Amino acid sequence: MDPITDPGILGGYLTDASNLHGRAAALYRPRTAEEVAEILAECQRTGTSVTVTARRTSTTGAPVPDGGVLLSTERLDRLHALDDVDGGVLLGAYQAEVERAGRLFTPDPTSRNECSVGGAIACNASGARSFKYGPTRPWVDAVELVTPTGEIRWIDRTTPLPWPVPQWAEPAVKTAAGYYPATNLLDLVIGAEGTLGVVTRARLKLLPLPTAVLTVFTYFPDRASLLAFVAVARTMGPRCIESFDRHALDLIRGRVPDVPVAHAALLLEIEHDGDAPLDAWFDALAAHAALLDDTIVAEDDAGRARLHAVRHALPATVNEIIARNGVQKVGTDFAVPAAALAEMMDAYEQPDMATVCFGHMGDSHLHLNFLPKDADELAEARRRYLALAKKAVSLGGTVSAEHGIGRLKKAHLALMVPPTVLDGWRAVKRAADPAWVLGRGVMFDP
Ligand SMILES: Cc1cc2nc3c(=O)[nH]c(=O)nc-3n(C[C@H](O)[C@H](O)[C@H](O)COP(=O)(O)OP(=O)(O)OC[C@H]3O[C@@H](n4cnc5c(N)ncnc54)[C@H](O)[C@@H]3O)c2cc1C
């Protein structure tokens, strides 16, 4: 395959949603696993670093190259069967196809209409529905993997680990930080952020589409009522409990009129068999001082899509502000045990800095986004981020619940993972990728 070296084309591939900028000598856009294998074998032979880039929605600099060559998955774009799809296919387009056939592929990162299936597998992405269904991992049955040495193989949960993998105790929360303490090769590759191979194709697990989904967007006057309601809501079986703090509501109000002034809001989704459990939910809301007159209920897909658009507008608006201010993103991705959520929310209060906090409250996983205006504020935001990361770890939480480590969060991973485990991962990486060419500089360094 001839590489593309035209700077006009390459320029479109050198950054991601974190706004980190990189450099690369060339770009490959393979169409088949064989072409991917040829590129990787050659790079392994010459010791040239290869960064896999998909749709570049990563918020951690993971697909941003630091020299070497780029391997884009965009042309690995075929749907082979409803549950068998190439790694470069757009996740949202794939899900729409699956849903037209009455099935559900549950992983739903907010970025699903911009990110790829392979990117979601590489990052073990989560989303709002992960509260009920977990992250991407359990919904992947097998992948076609091109190894860093250029071998093509299908792997599944019967594929043994070729090397010992540290069996470390991950925090008991939703987490996507570091290599999984896997007992088979598939589980190790899922969430390895593209450092152990290229996912060219995947066989996925689908569910029947739920008969109906009730969506509720509601507001709370204070923290105590909000948290008391969330504790009850967790026991009522919704598929998501998403939250928005008052600053997030201010941003939403800029795009959607009639958003009331409130302490916080929640978006809930409840699957049901056709008989919407409205009374039970309204009773619970009323018992916890929710602002019932302002509560919006959507009983159909179109109404849910409108509320989702509001939810999705938030991270996109934050990313736009960051890019406009010419700074990099400083946004937390910590999850903590439910019992520590209130303490973590206290720590997220930053009265003297512009922030927005929203996210997956069901999983005690909130994104506090700093909105620095200049380099000084950026440096201050990073200092505070580090203190918050230490706090999350001290509470038994994770430094990344879903976005991964990438290039920007390596120091934070080391706060949570013992040096012996990091050394064990380095040994795995060296065994899989002797010249350390794939995703060099991602997750941890040699
Ligand atoms: C607005 C917004 C909202 C987001 N919301 C969520 C969310 O709710 N939940 C969540 O988990 N994440 C979220 N993210 C982060 C991001 O969307 C996900 O991590 C996504 O899975 C990345 O997919 P991508 O195709 O863009 O991959 P990229 O960003 O291009 O790459 C990400 C990493 O995966 C590797 N990679 C990509 N494809 C492959 C492949 N086929 N084989 C091997 N390695 C590969 C890359 O090398 C890189 O290390 C959000 C991002 C944005 C911008």
Side-chain angles (χ1 to χ4, degrees), residues 55-79:
R55 302 282 173 158
R56 293 171 292 286
T57 63
S58 168
T59 62
T60 67
V64 179
D66 183 15
V69 302
L70 272 166
L71 190 159
S72 166
T73 62
E74 72 203 270
R75 291 184 174 168
L76 299 166
D77 59 358
R78 281 147 301 185
L79 181 67

Side-chain angles (χ1 to χ4, degrees), residues 17 51-59 62-63 73 87 108-111 114-116 118-120 122-127 193-194 197-200 312 315-316 319 360 402-403 442:
T51 303
V52 180
T53 178
R55 302 282 173 158
R56 293 171 292 286
T57 63
S58 168
T59 62
T73 62
D108 65 334
T110 312
S111 54
E114 293 102 43
C115 78
S116 68
C123 300
N124 191 26
S126 289
E193 300 189 34
V198 181
V199 174
T200 44
H312 189 182
N319 291 342
H360 316 293
E402 65 180 8
H403 290 175
V442 169

Side-chain angles (χ1 to χ4, degrees), residues 14-22 60-62 64 328 407-408:
L14 298 177
T15 189
D16 70 356
S18 74
N19 208 24
L20 179 71
H21 290 263
T60 67
V64 179
Q328 281 163 21
R407 294 183 186 281
L408 296 178

